[in-house]
Amino acid sequence: MKYIHSLINGELIKTDKSITRENPASLEKIYEVSMCSEKEVDLACNSAQKAFKVWSKLPGSERGEILFNISRRIKDKSETLSKINTNETGKPLKESMLVELKGVVKTFEYYAGLASKINGTSQTINENLLSVTIKEAIGVVGQILPWNFPLLLAAWKIAPALASGCTIVLKPSELTPSGTLELAKICEDAGVPPGVINIVQGSGEVVGSSIVKHEIISKISFTGSTKVGKQIVKNSSENLTKLSLELGGKAPNIIFADSNIESCIEANLRGGFFNQGENCTAVTRLLIDEKIIDEFIEIYVSKVSKINQGMPNDITSEIGCLISEPHLKKVDSYVEQGVAEGGELLLGGETNSEFPGYFYKPTIIKINDTNNILFKDEVFGPVVSVMSFASEEEAVILANQTSYGLAGGIWTQDISRAIKVSRLVDAGYLWINTYGGIIPETPYGGFKQSGYGKELGIEGLNEYLKTKNVSIFTGDKLPKWYGNN
Ligand code: NAD
């Protein structure tokens, strides 16, 4: 069986321990994954520290050239990477090719351009004092990834880190190790020197936590659950390591009665069911004006029931399967609990046994109680809850009645209301009259228990830079402070 290695200092590393990964749609065993220990994390950190001396000193324009080269090579290998991605995640091939891989290419292109535009500032404080700020690469960074967008999220982390001059120790999810390794190999083929990107495969408890605790690591960029994010905060206190945390979400989508219903329904099909709802910005709470909720539900349920669920590698499939059996069980038990707590099942609510793997039918549940588990917890599956509101004020209260603050949407033809409500919704990434699609030019990240720090945009690059101030005396003679003796 194929073996998925780690990549340390440019060499593929095999360890004594491995786990078997299956294709979640066909249930075929697809590869053995190398499981590393603290020893390999240490090797990777040392290799990244050595490589930092070279990579951080390259002119930004040269790093940018290499990043452009990476984006071109990924474009050329898009189809192969998409197939690997779909095989290990269960997401439709159409989504891998037309959304995820396109996003990967665009992210590398965007940061390729920014690599030569890292600027500090200068300030004349007074006629004898000039202050200059210098932006420097922060050092060796640890990057820890989830399984839902393995390649896109790897690009969101690797591209700004490389552009800034940092070197990397990256741990993919143990469920999706293969695509990320291929991406790192492409980066090396495109000119990234050995040791700049190190991929360490393994569990979160062993490899993840030892990356977080390692003294060589200057910053951790983590994407994953809020529960693990809190563990990382604790572990990072040993070295006071800088953190950015992209955690869970429970996005509301507020739909006022004057919305363009056709566009709104279309956006909410993607909002709720893109990537099987295994999406941190997935719309999981549809908040609908009571004046239109019945009409909305009738059309929405009918459209969702027509989404074509099928084997992910079939290019016509519109929704695939969930990542693993435990995850399928978790999603199903949330639905069961939501219904037991008074939710009205409008569609789905069961596994799809037409296919061998972990398929769950697109599910819609109407709720009227904010204590319902489906209003509060992140399900991370194809499950959308709908609830009505009677006034603008109530819509805002419901939208914010969550411990998360990652994303959300607002639908209305009234521009003043749209802007007013967008100011009141406490989430880091909002859409008005559209939903979904995060582009590299825009800063992305959540509030409250969705984490802190930003990815993407110029703010995403700044996460990998530190600011040094240099004050320069430009006068002839310093004034005296201590007497004249
Ligand atoms: P997870 O938190 O279980 O795991 C994420 C990663 O952390 C994995 O690589 C895992 O091995 C590692 N890990 C586990 N324990 C660790 C520890 N103690 N120290 C260090 N690393 C550890 O999340 P998941 O199940 O892989 O992904 C789903 C979650 O990710 C959802 O909550 C989702 O909302 C979140 N997510 C957030 C965003 C975002 O941008 N905010 C994007 C995608 C996914």
Side-chain angles (χ1 to χ4, degrees):
M1 204 185 310
K2 195 176 170 198
Y3 188 88
I4 306 301
H5 297 81
S6 289
L7 178 72
I8 300 176
N9 204 21
E11 282 177 32
L12 291 174
I13 304 284
K14 192 169 181 176
T15 56
D16 298 338
K17 262 192 172 172
S18 64
I19 54 167
T20 307
R21 174 73 181 134
E22 63 188 353
N23 173 323
S26 66
L27 303 188
E28 271 170 89
K29 306 227 173 303
I30 45 176
Y31 48 65
E32 290 284 311
V33 190
S34 150
M35 295 299 272
C36 292
S37 65
E38 288 88 348
K39 186 181 127 203
E40 286 78 27
V41 172
D42 192 48
L43 281 175
C45 288
N46 279 291
S47 128
Q49 190 180 43
K50 203 168 135 219
F52 181 75
K53 294 188 183 116
V54 178
W55 184 251
S56 62
K57 291 200 176 81
L58 271 192
S61 57
E62 285 182 34
R63 291 198 301 270
E65 267 308 311
I66 295 175
L67 279 146
F68 273 125
N69 205 6
I70 295 172
S71 75
R72 280 190 290 267
R73 283 173 187 245
I74 293 172
K75 207 175 197 172
D76 291 345
K77 297 200 169 169
S78 248
E79 200 176 326
T80 313
L81 284 168
S82 297
K83 284 182 181 159
I84 294 173
N85 196 35
T86 282
N87 262 346
E88 60 184 359
T89 56
K91 69 178 71 192
L93 188 57
K94 189 175 157 190
E95 289 182 5
S96 281
M97 280 170 69
L98 300 183
V99 182
E100 187 154 359
L101 262 297
K102 278 201 169 164
V104 173
V105 170
K106 282 190 176 302
T107 304
F108 276 100
E109 267 171 12
Y110 174 73
Y111 283 108
L114 273 190
S116 56
K117 295 163 194 71
I118 296 171
N119 295 318
T121 57
S122 73
Q123 226 186 127
T124 302
I125 306 296
N126 62 44
E127 61 175 344
N128 290 332
L129 194 62
L130 177 69
S131 161
V132 175
T133 62
I134 300 168
K135 296 276 184 190
E136 293 177 350
I138 210 162
V140 178
V141 297
Q143 304 183 325
I144 300 174
L145 272 81
W147 43 259
N148 62 331
F149 289 98
L151 296 176
L152 186 64
L153 298 181
W156 287 9
K157 294 197 186 306
I158 293 173
L162 291 183
S164 67
C166 291
T167 56
I168 298 166
V169 177
L170 183 150
K171 188 192 102 58
S173 164
E174 47 277 52
L175 296 174
T176 53
S178 163
T180 320
L181 179 66
E182 288 308 310
L183 196 69
K185 287 200 246 167
I186 292 175
C187 292
E188 289 198 347
D189 292 344
V192 173
V196 171
I197 304 174
N198 301 276
I199 305 291
V200 191
Q201 312 282 8
S203 74
E205 292 72 23
V206 177
V207 171
S209 62
S210 53
I211 293 174
V212 174
K213 289 178 188 169
H214 203 287
E215 61 189 11
I216 286 177
I217 299 288
S218 300
K219 176 204 162 62
I220 291 287
S221 174
F222 171 74
T223 301
S225 62
T226 299
K227 184 171 160 223
V228 172
K230 288 180 182 176
Q231 190 61 49
I232 288 177
V233 171
K234 280 192 195 138
N235 288 340
S236 68
S237 70
E238 283 193 22
N239 299 312
L240 287 181
T241 309
K242 182 181 169 176
L243 297 180
S244 54
L245 302 171
E246 297 292 344
L247 309 177
K250 191 75 197 166
N253 209 353
I254 304 175
I255 301 162
F256 289 103
D258 65 346
S259 307
N260 176 332
I261 295 289
E262 204 184 322
S263 302
C264 182
I265 298 262
E266 176 57 34
N268 279 297
L269 294 175
R270 280 183 278 121
F273 301 103
F274 184 78
N275 211 49
Q276 303 75 237
E278 294 169 323
N279 179 358
C280 46
T281 58
V283 174
T284 55
R285 295 183 301 140
L286 278 184
L287 305 174
I288 309 175
D289 195 315
E290 62 182 13
K291 292 194 264 314
I292 57 160
I293 190 163
D294 293 340
E295 178 201 352
F296 186 97
I297 284 178
E298 196 187 325
I299 309 174
Y300 191 54
V301 169
S302 154
K303 294 254 183 187
V304 174
S305 69
K306 294 190 184 88
I307 295 177
N308 177 24
Q309 186 159 42
M311 290 303 276
N313 55 7
D314 175 345
I315 198 72
T316 64
S317 294
E318 293 171 322
I319 186 166
C321 68
L322 299 179
I323 190 77
S324 66
E325 188 173 19
H327 191 57
L328 177 86
K329 286 188 173 152
K330 185 177 144 200
V331 170
D332 193 40
S333 77
Y334 267 125
V335 171
E336 211 172 282
Q337 191 177 339
V339 171
E341 288 175 359
E344 183 192 346
L345 187 63
L346 302 176
L347 188 74
E350 57 182 357
T351 55
N352 188 341
S353 48
E354 246 184 86
F355 308 102
Y358 309 122
F359 289 78
Y360 202 79
K361 291 186 181 170
T363 297
I364 305 173
I365 298 181
K366 190 176 179 192
I367 56 175
N368 52 20
D369 179 2
T370 55
N371 287 317
N372 189 301
I373 192 87
L374 297 176
F375 190 84
K376 294 190 293 193
D377 280 25
E378 183 184 46
V379 177
F380 221 58
V383 180
V384 172
S385 71
V386 285
M387 195 174 196
S388 67
F389 63 82
S391 65
E392 181 182 301
E393 195 187 7
E394 191 192 5
V396 171
I397 291 171
L398 289 172
N400 288 335
Q401 205 171 333
T402 167
S403 57
Y404 295 109
L406 186 59
I410 298 148
W411 290 82
T412 173
Q413 304 285 334
D414 177 343
I415 185 70
S416 305
R417 170 177 261 178
I419 293 170
K420 180 177 161 203
V421 173
S422 73
R423 290 189 177 129
L424 296 171
V425 174
D426 199 13
Y429 206 98
L430 296 177
W431 288 275
I432 294 176
N433 293 336
T434 180
Y435 199 93
I438 295 164
I439 41 179
E441 297 89 329
T442 58
Y444 167 72
F447 302 154
K448 302 198 279 186
Q449 300 217 9
S450 293
Y452 45 77
K454 293 287 173 201
E455 288 199 298
L456 303 178
I458 293 171
E459 290 188 48
L461 183 75
N462 282 335
E463 292 280 344
Y464 292 97
L465 296 166
K466 55 188 178 188
T467 305
K468 183 180 279 176
N469 184 79
V470 181
S471 291
I472 307 161
F473 178 66
T474 56
D476 294 333
K477 210 171 164 194
L478 280 171
K480 282 193 173 170
W481 177 260
Y482 296 103
N484 289 321
N485 44 347

XYZ file of all heavy atoms in Angstrom, residues 12 15 19 28 30 63-64 68 85-86 100 106 121 141-142 147 159 195 223 228 236 259 264 321 347 365 411 479:
215
model
N 12.313 12.645 2.461
C 11.092 11.942 2.861
C 11.442 10.991 3.997
O 12.381 10.193 3.894
C 10.518 11.168 1.676
C 9.948 12.057 0.557
C 9.543 11.234 -0.640
C 8.764 12.889 1.062
N 8.605 6.465 9.428
C 8.770 6.121 10.855
C 8.282 4.682 11.100
O 7.696 4.062 10.223
C 7.947 7.076 11.743
O 6.594 7.026 11.312
C 8.454 8.495 11.672
N -0.610 4.619 10.590
C -2.040 4.284 10.663
C -2.564 4.153 9.231
O -1.997 4.742 8.304
C -2.868 5.348 11.431
C -2.649 6.753 10.839
C -2.568 5.341 12.913
C -3.650 7.785 11.341
N -12.344 2.011 0.602
C -11.096 1.308 0.247
C -9.955 1.846 1.090
O -9.891 3.064 1.345
C -10.707 1.685 -1.182
C -11.251 0.862 -2.275
C -10.913 1.585 -3.585
O -9.832 1.320 -4.115
O -11.712 2.441 -4.012
N -6.538 3.368 1.426
C -5.787 4.070 0.370
C -4.308 4.262 0.677
O -3.492 4.327 -0.207
C -6.438 5.419 -0.044
C -6.876 6.251 1.173
C -7.579 5.196 -0.987
C -7.444 7.622 0.818
N 12.003 35.783 -3.339
C 11.009 34.874 -2.736
C 9.714 34.943 -3.550
O 9.060 33.928 -3.793
C 10.736 35.263 -1.275
C 11.915 34.998 -0.339
C 11.463 34.971 1.118
N 10.847 36.210 1.544
C 11.481 37.243 2.083
N 12.799 37.158 2.302
N 10.845 38.337 2.433
N 9.363 36.160 -3.988
C 8.145 36.342 -4.788
C 8.201 35.537 -6.085
O 7.222 34.900 -6.480
N 5.574 32.733 -7.334
C 4.891 32.717 -8.643
C 5.099 31.361 -9.318
O 4.192 30.781 -9.903
C 5.429 33.827 -9.558
C 4.723 35.142 -9.369
C 5.438 36.302 -9.068
C 3.338 35.240 -9.515
C 4.787 37.517 -8.895
C 2.680 36.461 -9.344
C 3.410 37.594 -9.028
N -7.065 15.151 -3.320
C -7.852 15.863 -2.317
C -9.232 15.216 -2.134
O -9.679 14.984 -1.010
C -8.000 17.317 -2.797
C -8.449 18.256 -1.717
O -8.084 18.107 -0.558
N -9.253 19.246 -2.076
N -9.871 14.917 -3.246
C -11.205 14.312 -3.187
C -11.147 12.908 -2.601
O -11.999 12.518 -1.805
C -11.832 14.351 -4.599
O -12.296 15.676 -4.796
C -12.994 13.396 -4.756
N -11.376 24.742 -4.656
C -10.231 24.653 -3.737
C -8.900 24.902 -4.466
O -8.098 25.737 -4.036
C -10.228 23.295 -3.021
C -9.164 23.237 -1.943
C -9.452 22.270 -0.816
O -10.500 21.619 -0.821
O -8.590 22.172 0.084
N -4.529 31.089 -6.532
C -4.690 32.535 -6.332
C -3.986 33.004 -5.064
O -3.441 34.105 -5.015
C -6.182 32.898 -6.248
C -6.852 32.941 -7.601
C -8.242 33.544 -7.515
C -8.897 33.682 -8.860
N -8.168 34.489 -9.825
N 8.002 51.939 8.303
C 7.647 53.354 8.167
C 8.827 54.196 8.651
O 9.737 53.680 9.314
C 6.447 53.706 9.065
O 6.793 53.368 10.413
C 5.204 52.968 8.657
N 7.919 29.058 12.063
C 6.517 29.031 12.480
C 5.957 27.614 12.436
O 6.313 26.814 11.579
C 5.642 29.976 11.621
C 6.090 31.413 11.790
C 5.667 29.593 10.157
N 5.086 27.325 13.409
C 4.380 26.044 13.445
C 2.996 26.258 12.879
O 2.323 27.239 13.217
N -8.921 19.024 8.546
C -9.047 18.161 7.367
C -10.026 18.682 6.321
O -10.175 18.087 5.263
C -9.505 16.756 7.790
C -10.610 16.763 8.821
C -10.452 16.558 10.168
C -12.009 17.005 8.623
N -11.670 16.664 10.819
C -12.648 16.930 9.888
C -12.802 17.271 7.497
C -14.019 17.117 10.063
C -14.171 17.463 7.675
C -14.762 17.382 8.942
N 1.778 30.216 2.033
C 2.126 31.329 1.134
C 2.546 32.607 1.891
O 3.620 33.159 1.596
C 0.979 31.607 0.162
N 14.269 22.242 3.854
C 14.272 22.723 5.239
C 13.384 23.933 5.468
O 13.056 24.245 6.605
N -5.552 26.197 12.704
C -6.949 26.167 12.276
C -7.538 24.844 12.743
O -6.979 23.778 12.464
C -7.072 26.282 10.740
O -6.457 27.499 10.335
C -8.531 26.315 10.317
N -9.595 22.361 20.793
C -8.143 22.184 20.644
C -7.441 23.554 20.693
O -6.347 23.679 21.262
C -7.805 21.406 19.344
C -6.308 21.392 19.087
C -8.342 19.977 19.428
N 0.998 26.987 24.683
C 1.873 28.031 24.146
C 2.432 28.916 25.260
O 3.353 29.689 25.035
C 1.123 28.901 23.150
O 0.146 29.655 23.835
N -35.738 40.706 0.599
C -34.570 40.116 -0.083
C -34.928 39.652 -1.487
O -36.083 39.323 -1.761
C -34.084 38.878 0.662
O -33.866 39.165 1.981
N -30.983 34.672 -2.951
C -30.791 34.277 -1.562
C -30.839 32.744 -1.425
O -30.005 32.136 -0.743
C -31.865 34.956 -0.732
S -31.745 34.626 0.993
N -19.347 12.908 0.705
C -19.578 12.216 1.986
C -18.767 12.895 3.090
O -17.896 13.720 2.822
C -19.160 10.756 1.867
S -17.406 10.552 1.672
N -36.282 17.993 6.132
C -35.634 17.222 5.048
C -34.457 16.446 5.629
O -33.769 16.930 6.532
C -35.115 18.194 3.971
C -34.583 17.556 2.693
C -35.742 17.032 1.833
C -33.785 18.573 1.862
N -33.784 21.628 9.405
C -34.611 21.486 10.610
C -35.103 22.858 11.053
O -34.307 23.804 11.160
C -33.789 20.813 11.749
C -33.369 19.412 11.296
C -34.602 20.753 13.051
C -32.586 18.632 12.305
N -29.334 39.811 4.202
C -30.050 39.908 2.925
C -31.150 40.934 3.022
O -32.084 40.797 3.810
C -30.642 38.543 2.556
C -29.562 37.580 2.192
C -28.807 36.854 3.052
C -29.101 37.269 0.887
N -27.885 36.107 2.359
C -28.060 36.341 1.017
C -29.466 37.679 -0.406
C -27.371 35.813 -0.070
C -28.791 37.156 -1.491
C -27.755 36.234 -1.328
N 22.377 66.243 24.084
C 22.306 67.111 25.261
C 22.798 66.365 26.497
O 22.642 65.145 26.589
C 20.822 67.443 25.372
C 20.111 66.434 24.555
C 21.066 65.928 23.536
